[in-house]
Amino acid sequence: MHLNFKDIYYLLDFYAYYSRIKKDCTLANEIWCLKAIFAIEKYYVEAFYKLKRDNFYGAWCTFGHVETIYKNLFKHYNSTLDEFKINSIYEYTKQFQKIFPYTLFSSVELKIDKFKCNICGKERISYKRVCNHKIGELYCGKLCAQIPEGITVINDSLVENPMDKCTVPFINGIDTYDYGKIKTLISALDSPFDDWNFEITETSKTHSEFKHISGDDSCPCGSGKIYSECCLNKDEIIIKHLEFYVNKPIEEIEKYNHYYINKKM
Ligand SMILES: [Zn+2]
Ligand SMILES: [Zn+2]
């Protein structure tokens, strides 16, 4: 038997439908959790192969999906045993995210006329609740969310921790980020389930070593900011070095995921 993601989703959709017919909300919620677990695994593997194909921004957004789904799932699924290895996947996702060169994100301030509860359809205009459904709670296999309606963009600013991590700013639409670190890492990894880690060491340099760099150039510290707005006025420049440690795949995870490791995503 060879199962792929499509088959698994198809089966889970079937059971979700079955649970609705049977009005079995416990089963419906369990199916929702299983779907989320498989989505986490699917997106994680997808993100890894996007990195392999140098689609760095795409991989970044896909890792973002892993994070969002994991956080939604976490409240509803007791994962201390980690049978599906999603805790490990989430840890590696966070590690990958740390290697990306993105530090600032666009964030839009929105004016929203009203919200609609996706469970009962009731609308609320102020922050006062009009129904008893809680955001992030599961109701018979459905995750409660407040759907915004009538959105106006008021303001656009740069932030460090955006709501949506996909909002990476590209000047004139061109990707000029330095992906050197992540390229080094991904070339050393064979499978999304290779065990790896990294360590950051710091060395301090004097400004005299960077005489050839003008204040308008990007800062030698690697922050991505302009030299004059970053380290130029500091006593020294701290250069961070990344060291990667890559081990062989964890056998157990390898075995568990054998059916999609070597598949083209
Ligand atoms: Zn409601
Ligand atoms: Zn700097």
Side-chain angles (χ1 to χ4, degrees), residues 32-50:
W32 182 90
C33 289
L34 277 175
K35 275 179 130 176
I37 287 163
F38 277 97
I40 286 170
E41 297 184 344
K42 177 182 177 281
Y43 282 132
Y44 178 72
V45 173
E46 241 176 63
F48 179 87
Y49 286 106
K50 280 180 182 173

Side-chain angles (χ1 to χ4, degrees), residues 218-227 229-232 234 237-238:
S218 59
C219 188
C221 79
S223 66
K225 293 177 195 166
I226 294 164
Y227 193 18
E229 288 172 12
C230 190
C231 296
L232 191 59
K234 294 178 191 165
I237 303 165
I238 304 290

Side-chain angles (χ1 to χ4, degrees), residues 117-144:
C117 173
N118 69 334
I119 305 297
C120 65
K122 276 186 187 160
E123 288 178 351
R124 70 186 169 93
I125 291 164
S126 65
Y127 278 96
K128 215 173 147 227
R129 270 163 55 186
V130 290
C131 66
N132 286 325
H133 299 118
K134 280 188 199 157
I135 297 170
E137 230 11 90
L138 274 182
Y139 295 94
C140 229
K142 210 171 169 188
L143 190 75
C144 180

